[in-house]
Amino acid sequence: DTAVSQTPKYLVTQMGNDKSIKCEQNLGHDTMYWYKQDSKKFLKIMFSYNNKELIINETVPNRFSPKSPDKAHLNLHINSLELGDSAVYFCASSQPDLGAFFGQGTRLTVV
Amino acid sequence: GNSVTQMEGPVTLSEEAFLTINCTYTATGYPSLFWYVQYPGEGLQLLLKATKADDKGSNKGFEATYRKETTSFHLEKGSVQVSDSAVYFCALTVNTNAGKSTFGDGTTLTVKP
């Protein structure tokens, strides 16, 4: 059983399109996150939700909108995609002191 | 604020060499410390952790000791294998910060046969 699963794994799309990435965790964790990893492997937190409530919103363009329908799901919708949005996006979940559990990543390529 | 500084890479070693990847941190509050590993094409996996001073985390031959006096959590392995080639991330969390993890920039390790 996959603890944190995100879909799709690969996403190739044209500039200006709108796309969504879905994430689900079956670990019963209260907190879920979206991270962006650039080509140099730097990880940057984008959003954090705790029990469906947004608790962290880093400096991210408002074209990015997270949505958490329940504690086990945190989806990411991106409007008007730009070339600079190309990256690997990771979903993760955690409980205090347990560390974070990451999904396999979604490689987004905007052309 | 919280920050993690880890040794810049890339690091290239021969098989069976000794590995050290340095990690130091600053934190408001009392952090828990973690090392994650990312194999090519995969997500990050928790490698080991330590939640209080002088604790030693260990897994798969890797070790790191929480040193509060030097604010460090250096990763070590006595004898690396080709399969250890990956990107290693040091991270911390402080419970007062909603469990948010602060990551270092990652260190790429390549082990050659």
Side-chain angles (χ1 to χ4, degrees), chain B:
Chain B
N2 301 328
S3 68
V4 175
T5 303
Q6 60 181 103
M7 184 171 140
E8 279 191 35
V11 173
T12 302
L13 296 173
S14 297
E15 210 164 20
E16 299 183 2
F18 185 85
L19 168 72
T20 301
I21 301 178
N22 290 338
C23 172
T24 57
Y25 66 89
T26 59
T28 52
Y30 200 102
S32 296
L33 302 173
F34 305 87
W35 276 100
Y36 292 84
V37 58
Q38 183 180 26
Y39 299 105
E42 298 184 12
L44 280 73
Q45 303 172 27
L46 179 63
L47 180 59
L48 53 85
K49 65 177 183 178
T51 57
K52 60 183 190 294
D54 300 324
D55 268 3
K56 179 187 279 188
S58 61
N59 185 25
K60 299 182 181 178
F62 291 89
E63 292 183 340
T65 302
Y66 190 143
R67 301 283 186 206
K68 191 176 178 187
E69 64 276 13
T70 54
T71 61
S72 65
F73 193 55
H74 305 320
L75 182 68
E76 296 182 336
K77 186 174 185 182
S79 175
V80 293
Q81 305 300 312
V82 172
S83 57
D84 293 327
S85 298
V87 182
Y88 292 81
F89 292 89
C90 185
L92 67 83
T93 63
V94 180
N95 282 343
T96 53
N97 197 16
K100 172 188 165 185
S101 295
T102 300
F103 285 86
D105 288 342
T107 302
T108 299
L109 170 67
T110 302
V111 180
K112 298 195 171 180

Side-chain angles (χ1 to χ4, degrees), chain A residues 27-70:
Chain A
L27 298 166
H29 291 167
D30 292 330
T31 309
M32 295 185 71
Y33 311 83
W34 278 107
Y35 287 88
K36 179 180 180 180
Q37 186 175 45
D38 64 21
S39 58
K40 294 184 178 178
K41 303 294 187 183
F42 296 151
L43 264 178
K44 181 180 174 182
I45 190 166
M46 301 173 70
F47 302 103
S48 173
Y49 270 72
N50 186 273
N51 276 318
K52 303 193 299 175
E53 302 271 337
L54 177 66
I55 53 172
I56 292 174
N57 182 352
E58 297 291 319
T59 308
V60 176
N62 57 16
R63 298 182 294 105
F64 291 79
S65 52
K67 192 169 226 182
S68 181
D70 55 58

